[in-house]
Amino acid sequence: MSYAVLAVAAAVPASMAQAQTQNSQASITAQPADWAKPALPATGNAAVEKTVEDLVRRMSLEQKVGQIVQADIASVTPEDVYRYHLGSVLNGGNSKPGQGHHVTAPAWVAAADAFYAASMRRNGKLPRIPVIWGSDAVHGHNNVVGATLFPHNIGLGAARNPELMRRIGKVTATEMRVTGLDWTFAPTLAVVRDDRWGRTYEGFGEHPEIATSYARPLIEGLQGKVGDADWLRGGHIIATAKHFLGDGGTAGGKDQGDTRTDEATLRRLFAAPYVPAIEAGVQSIMVSFSSWNGAKMHGNRSLLRGVIKDHWGFDGFLVGDWNGHGQVDECKPDNCYQTFTAGLDMAMAPDSWKGLWQNTLAQAKDGRLPMPVLDDAVRRILRVKVRAGLMEAGKPSSRPLAGKYDLLGSAEHRAVAREAVRQSLVLLKNAGSVLPLKPGARILLAGDGADNLTKQTGGWTLTWQGTGTSRTDFPNAHTIAEGMREVAKGVGATVDVAADGRFTQKPDVAVVVFGEDPYAEFQGDRADVGFDDAQDNLALLKKLKAAGVPTVSVFLSGRAMWVNPYLNASDAFVAAWLPGSEGGGVADVLFGKADFRGKLPYSWPRTSDQTAVNVGDANYNPLFPYGFGLTLKDRGDLARLPEQRASQASGDPTILFNAGRPGGGRRLLIGAPGELSPNPGPDLITARGADRRAQEDSVRLVWTGRGKAVAAITDTAPVDLMRETNGALAVEIDLKVDGAPSRPVSAGVACGQGCAGEVPITAALRAALKGEWTTVAVPLSCFAKAGADMRQITAPLSLTTDGTLDITMSRARLVQANGAGTACPNND
């Protein structure tokens, strides 16, 4: 199969009025005096302030603007850092200092040195200011091959152990220092109220008490303690509290969505963990993609400047999220002085940084960005750099711990992770005390998660989505199968591994490991919380039960899920979350080397549509309540549960067309522009069923060339695809060209009356081999650049030409863009 990709470009959505449906102006403006104030740490230092003021006085305007713009290493070079005086770089979830996700630790150190050297190269009489590098080390240093991987936050929330968080923070900081990095975008302090959210596993729980108790020890583990000589130095790094504010409370659990609540609830549920974070001396706070009652956080002055800076007295800096400033009303990713006037100090502009730098410089010159606002942002960033000793630290490879690669995934670090796994497991059922596993037992280990580190580690692991990895990518790790064999050997038990559950000698017990496949952010958003079992592990459990084999289910997931049929088919059921690199921790508890101590950080749903069930709610009625968790001493029987799944709200929203029909309630319409219908007649265009792998699993579209005609997949109501655009997704079409285009062909999206964005794809279609299947991908950002308002898409895909064309389409979907280009084509 050939693969034609149309070049990737930065998302540049058309601006639109901020949605304010049923919200008054007062409901988006915080009253800072009502917010509890933190006890500020003793971080003030006259020498630091003197250094900062001296730098600000000597800096050029271009330098100042460079400090407040952050670029992704996939879109910036060391030479760019020098030329544009950039103060910070980051590596996004798929950005590495090299090709693929296999990049080893020395390459990270070399890249850190290169960016540092560029920032410190002499430039006339201008002061030289070192660059800082931010990275999403959210469950260990998870971007780097060989690093220790801890359970995701959902599992740590089940552990209920604040001091363990301090040790995890210290290990993560150490391993980041080994690779030359000095700033993590962690911890996530989200309080998650709807488990449909694709980032549920990044939150410690549904109640603010867990994140509030964890904020101080975790930040002190990362940064050190304020007042100590190694605060922000030596083996410590800069931490980030995120995402401010209400990211876990959006309507419907939609990522980057809208948190619709009154100010008192916003304070009570979502702000509480930030108070101990500031008291612990956290140096940066990341602003959320989400909105509060329709107003984007990146533009909410009352919260950013009013609460955080003026009322709370926070003297570190506020950093944005991936082009999040571009979603503010009247803004674009490359043009948004409004976010700085609202209080943002550093805009994360991964692929839009150059345009943002140029526009912000012009706005600083003409006064739209007032100089006091710019200077305040620069002072805050410099203050953190000076406090962290970066002005005199030298190149990253010369700093303490750098290059000590034996510390990555060291035995000592992995022991901390293994302990975290042991403490995170929650026992939901243990009928007949089938657990612990008995010494000398013959154990069958089955299920697609049994020997699968990709599934075990989840999203944000080597790649953004955590997918596409293999066993060889984890040299310092144990799968659950490997851990089971290790522990079994010590107690005289035997473990036979067979993913499909086949056996020749009947086992004494079967352990079946299964669960969710990896995902991250909005790609994990769901319509309900019912477990979708693509591997049919339920049939496996039932088969084993029918054979008289006691069954233990180990469920891997990033959220609490409706699994009633699996609970019924299991004698014991363990919620193992996403345990990370140490499968041995699971084995320890199954064999009784440690007791179960984990307690549910999220209420477990009784039905598949019980998506927002939180302790304290009216009519609170979960299957297992918040805080539930059996020990091996408890009676673990469970009455049989109903197995009827409630109807899903909708299908997979990323599927536009598959198996011969549009997905998610959409329609395929054809005809002349403005006159589309399911069957308009054969004059301009025809659509009929066609076969690829099964009968009529595709559609053949034939344009006659007698006039302009369109084939469009349409939605019944406008859909917001801004987050998908911002997240670098593309429309990917699997098609076969039987008749090449005689005239230009465009792929497009529609966004209401007179609103559309079209991209030429003629060259890709003409390059396809006649009669062979190929794939064409168009990044959503191309449609945005072409003028589409991605917040209100009415047709996520259209194909238009006034010439002849004969193609068969088997599938169209939204996927992560992988194009190598940097600009969208404007002609063929």
Side-chain angles (χ1 to χ4, degrees):
M1 176 183 290
S2 62
Y3 192 87
V5 179
L6 299 182
V8 179
V12 188
S15 65
M16 65 176 289
Q18 199 65 259
Q20 299 292 340
T21 305
Q22 297 180 343
N23 295 318
S24 66
Q25 184 64 30
S27 68
I28 64 170
T29 304
Q31 304 302 312
D34 295 337
W35 293 58
K37 297 183 70 171
L40 294 176
T43 56
N45 184 297
V48 169
E49 296 304 315
K50 184 177 184 301
T51 299
V52 169
E53 289 304 319
D54 179 63
L55 288 169
V56 171
R57 178 181 56 81
R58 295 162 54 207
M59 290 170 70
S60 68
L61 184 59
E62 289 79 4
Q63 275 190 304
K64 291 179 180 180
V65 172
Q67 287 298 307
I68 68 173
V69 175
Q70 183 182 52
D72 186 89
I73 61 169
S75 302
V76 71
T77 65
E79 187 60 32
D80 290 328
V81 167
Y82 172 76
R83 179 179 177 185
Y84 294 92
H85 313 281
L86 298 181
S88 176
V89 297
L90 80 147
N91 62 280
N94 285 321
S95 301
K96 304 290 186 291
Q99 295 297 315
H101 59 265
H102 310 278
V103 181
T104 57
W108 289 85
V109 177
D113 274 357
F115 282 111
Y116 171 84
S119 68
M120 298 301 287
R121 193 194 317 166
R122 180 180 293 276
N123 192 331
K125 295 182 178 180
L126 295 176
R128 306 318 301 150
I129 301 169
V131 69
I132 54 174
W133 182 329
S135 185
D136 284 283
V138 296
H139 66 126
H141 195 14
N142 45 262
N143 289 288
V144 177
V145 171
T148 305
L149 300 174
F150 295 95
H152 272 291
N153 285 355
I154 190 171
L156 299 181
R160 301 293 209 281
N161 187 340
E163 282 309 303
L164 178 62
M165 300 307 107
R166 188 184 305 276
R167 295 164 61 196
I168 289 172
K170 181 65 175 74
V171 169
T172 301
T174 295
E175 296 202 4
M176 288 192 73
R177 283 295 192 188
V178 167
T179 61
L181 305 193
D182 43 29
W183 178 21
T184 177
F185 299 137
T188 299
L189 299 178
V191 178
V192 183
R193 307 295 286 178
D194 191 318
D195 294 356
R196 287 174 290 186
W197 190 34
R199 305 189 79 156
T200 294
Y201 65 79
E202 296 187 53
F204 293 113
E206 70 189 36
H207 192 284
E209 66 178 353
I210 305 178
T212 301
S213 71
Y214 280 6
R216 177 185 287 275
L218 187 46
I219 288 167
E220 288 181 345
L222 290 164
Q223 295 191 159
K225 288 187 177 182
V226 175
D228 288 355
D230 63 351
W231 182 55
L232 304 175
R233 303 177 183 223
H236 293 111
I237 58 174
I238 299 164
T240 307
K242 70 180 188 183
H243 310 84
F244 189 89
L245 186 65
D247 50 342
T250 60
K254 182 180 179 182
D255 192 42
Q256 303 184 26
D258 188 20
T259 300
R260 302 166 188 166
T261 189
D262 58 73
E263 185 180 351
T265 303
L266 190 72
R267 293 195 309 267
R268 176 177 58 84
L269 283 181
F270 305 110
Y274 288 88
V275 173
I278 291 174
E279 292 177 341
V282 73
Q283 290 298 285
S284 66
I285 294 175
M286 183 178 288
V287 179
S288 177
F289 276 122
S290 59
S291 305
W292 175 39
N293 293 334
K296 284 291 179 181
M297 283 289 166
H298 276 70
N300 195 313
R301 181 186 178 94
S302 70
L303 287 167
L304 305 188
R305 196 171 294 282
V307 171
I308 299 179
K309 292 183 173 180
D310 296 342
H311 183 65
W312 279 352
F314 174 69
D315 66 359
F317 66 88
L318 305 185
V319 62
D321 208 344
W322 193 276
N323 278 332
H325 56 278
Q327 299 183 30
V328 174
D329 190 27
E330 303 302 325
C331 283
K332 297 179 180 180
D334 65 353
N335 193 339
C336 192
Y337 70 91
Q338 296 93 328
T339 195
F340 300 115
T341 58
L344 194 73
D345 299 308
M346 181 185 291
M348 186 185 291
D351 51 1
S352 59
W353 63 268
K354 186 178 293 184
L356 185 66
W357 185 90
Q358 292 168 337
N359 287 320
T360 304
L361 178 62
Q363 291 151 0
K365 289 179 177 178
D366 67 21
R368 282 176 289 174
L369 177 59
M371 192 58 59
V373 171
L374 176 59
D375 282 348
D376 176 63
V378 172
R379 284 190 184 94
R380 289 170 175 275
I381 295 166
L382 295 181
R383 181 179 295 127
V384 173
K385 290 184 177 184
V386 174
R387 282 175 174 169
L390 296 183
M391 303 302 294
E392 64 273 6
K395 61 183 180 179
S397 63
S398 70
R399 299 173 191 172
L401 304 181
K404 295 187 176 182
Y405 303 123
D406 58 325
L407 291 175
L408 278 178
S410 68
E412 180 182 359
H413 292 176
R414 291 182 61 191
V416 177
R418 187 162 179 160
E419 181 180 349
V421 175
R422 288 197 297 266
Q423 295 188 23
S424 71
L425 304 180
V426 180
L427 182 60
L428 299 180
K429 180 180 180 181
N430 192 21
S433 296
V434 66
L435 289 176
L437 301 173
K438 308 303 186 286
R442 175 174 290 278
I443 301 161
L444 172 66
L445 185 60
D448 66 302
D451 202 20
N452 188 336
L453 275 164
T454 298
K455 196 159 189 135
Q456 184 177 312
T457 53
W460 290 109
T461 305
L462 300 184
T463 66
W464 175 36
Q465 294 297 312
T467 56
T469 60
S470 65
R471 178 64 185 88
T472 57
D473 296 324
F474 301 92
N476 301 322
H478 275 160
T479 66
I480 292 173
E482 291 162 350
M484 289 284 288
R485 288 194 183 104
E486 173 199 280
V487 177
K489 186 176 181 180
V491 297
T494 59
V495 175
D496 299 318
V497 180
D500 60 5
R502 295 182 183 181
F503 58 85
T504 54
Q505 183 177 346
K506 184 178 178 181
D508 297 311
V509 63
V511 177
V512 182
V513 187
F514 63 98
E516 290 190 287
D517 290 324
Y519 55 82
E521 297 193 50
F522 56 83
Q523 294 200 37
D525 283 3
R526 291 184 53 87
D528 69 0
V529 290
F531 172 55
D532 299 319
D533 187 6
Q535 302 298 323
D536 203 4
N537 288 281
L538 182 59
L540 173 57
L541 286 166
K542 289 180 176 179
K543 179 181 177 181
L544 291 167
K545 289 281 281 186
V549 179
T551 54
V552 177
S553 286
V554 176
F555 186 56
L556 304 175
S557 74
R559 58 191 123 212
M561 304 196 78
W562 181 80
V563 288
N564 285 12
Y566 304 85
L567 283 161
N568 288 338
S570 306
D571 293 289
F573 194 97
V574 179
W577 315 113
L578 301 169
S581 61
E582 303 312 306
V586 176
D588 289 340
V589 181
L590 294 183
F591 277 101
K593 293 174 68 70
D595 200 352
F596 287 90
R597 57 166 288 172
K599 305 299 177 184
L600 287 180
Y602 293 89
S603 303
W604 202 274
R606 184 174 294 276
T607 61
S608 61
D609 59 354
Q610 198 176 31
T611 57
V613 53
N614 299 297
V615 63
D617 289 350
N619 304 314
Y620 179 65
N621 185 32
L623 180 61
F624 301 110
Y626 172 85
F628 178 86
L630 299 170
T631 68
L632 291 171
K633 297 177 182 178
D634 295 324
R635 183 177 178 86
D637 295 319
L638 182 65
R640 187 169 182 83
L641 302 168
E643 296 191 358
Q644 183 62 42
R645 179 171 179 167
S647 298
Q648 285 184 283
S650 64
D652 185 345
T654 67
I655 300 298
L656 306 183
F657 185 91
N658 193 43
R661 61 183 181 276
R666 299 181 175 96
R667 296 192 300 165
L668 174 62
L669 303 178
I670 60 176
E675 300 176 7
L676 303 185
S677 70
N679 188 15
D683 288 346
L684 297 179
I685 183 174
T686 59
R688 66 178 187 272
D691 303 342
R692 184 182 184 185
R693 298 185 180 94
Q695 185 174 355
E696 295 196 0
D697 65 347
S698 305
V699 62
R700 186 169 185 176
L701 300 165
V702 179
W703 282 258
T704 66
R706 297 170 188 157
K708 181 177 285 190
V710 182
I713 295 171
T714 65
D715 274 298
T716 56
V719 174
D720 185 351
L721 292 182
M722 191 64 235
R723 59 179 181 166
E724 287 83 357
T725 304
N726 195 43
L729 261 65
V731 175
E732 183 183 80
I733 313 165
D734 290 350
L735 55 82
K736 175 166 61 77
V737 178
D738 290 310
S742 64
R743 296 272 297 154
V745 182
S746 64
V749 298
C751 39
Q753 186 67 33
C755 178
E758 294 189 343
V759 173
I761 61 169
T762 319
L765 296 180
R766 286 176 175 165
L769 296 177
K770 184 177 180 179
E772 293 192 12
W773 290 97
T774 188
T775 300
V776 175
V778 183
L780 293 177
S781 58
C782 298
F783 300 127
K785 187 175 183 180
D789 184 342
M790 305 305 291
R791 295 182 176 97
Q792 50 182 11
I793 297 300
T794 53
L797 175 62
S798 65
L799 300 172
T800 305
T801 183
D802 59 4
T804 58
L805 175 64
D806 184 351
I807 63 173
T808 300
M809 179 173 65
S810 68
R811 184 174 63 168
R813 59 176 182 156
L814 301 181
V815 300
Q816 191 173 339
N818 292 306
T822 57
C824 297
N826 53 26
N827 56 64
D828 287 309

